[in-house]
Amino acid sequence: MAEEYEVVTPHKMRPPHPGSILRLDVLPALDMTVVQAARELGVSRQLLHGILAEKLPVSAETAVRLGKWCGNGANLWVALQRDYDLWQAERHLADKIGDIPTHEAA
């Protein structure tokens, strides 16, 4: 018997970029500067600034660093980035997706 998967409709609101969570919640809660955080994370200030400005994505490697640093694991940071990227891609490709056929396995 085939497994059934629930179809989830796309989010209407843009999911937060991981950088916004770091900028608005994490760094202020830790009372930490970008320079201090970058040093502790072992990344460049430029990389961290790019993430905080929502111009750079959180890579798997950075997610591992953030997960250890925040004590909440890498999966959270990867999931945040995934949700943000998928939301952006769905909107970017919205007018092109209709031309792609959907196939069902027998």
Side-chain angles (χ1 to χ4, degrees), residues 14 16-34 37 48-56 58 66 69-70 77 84:
R14 179 179 71 96
H17 187 282
S20 69
I21 293 171
L22 286 169
R23 184 182 71 250
L24 300 173
D25 298 325
V26 176
L27 291 181
L30 296 175
D31 192 28
M32 189 166 295
T33 68
V34 175
L48 190 53
H49 273 295
I51 292 170
L52 296 172
E54 303 179 29
K55 294 183 181 193
L56 294 177
V58 170
L66 287 168
W69 190 65
C70 294
W77 299 100
Y84 178 83

Side-chain angles (χ1 to χ4, degrees), residues 34-43 45 48:
V34 175
V35 173
Q36 291 171 307
R39 186 177 304 121
E40 289 187 6
L41 286 164
V43 300
R45 280 185 350 248
L48 190 53

Side-chain angles (χ1 to χ4, degrees), residues 3 10 22-23 35-36 45 47 50 57-59 62 71-72 81 88 97-98:
E3 278 189 56
L22 286 169
R23 184 182 71 250
V35 173
Q36 291 171 307
R45 280 185 350 248
L47 173 67
V58 170
S59 68
T62 304
N72 54 15
Q81 188 65 55
Q88 296 289 354
I97 293 296

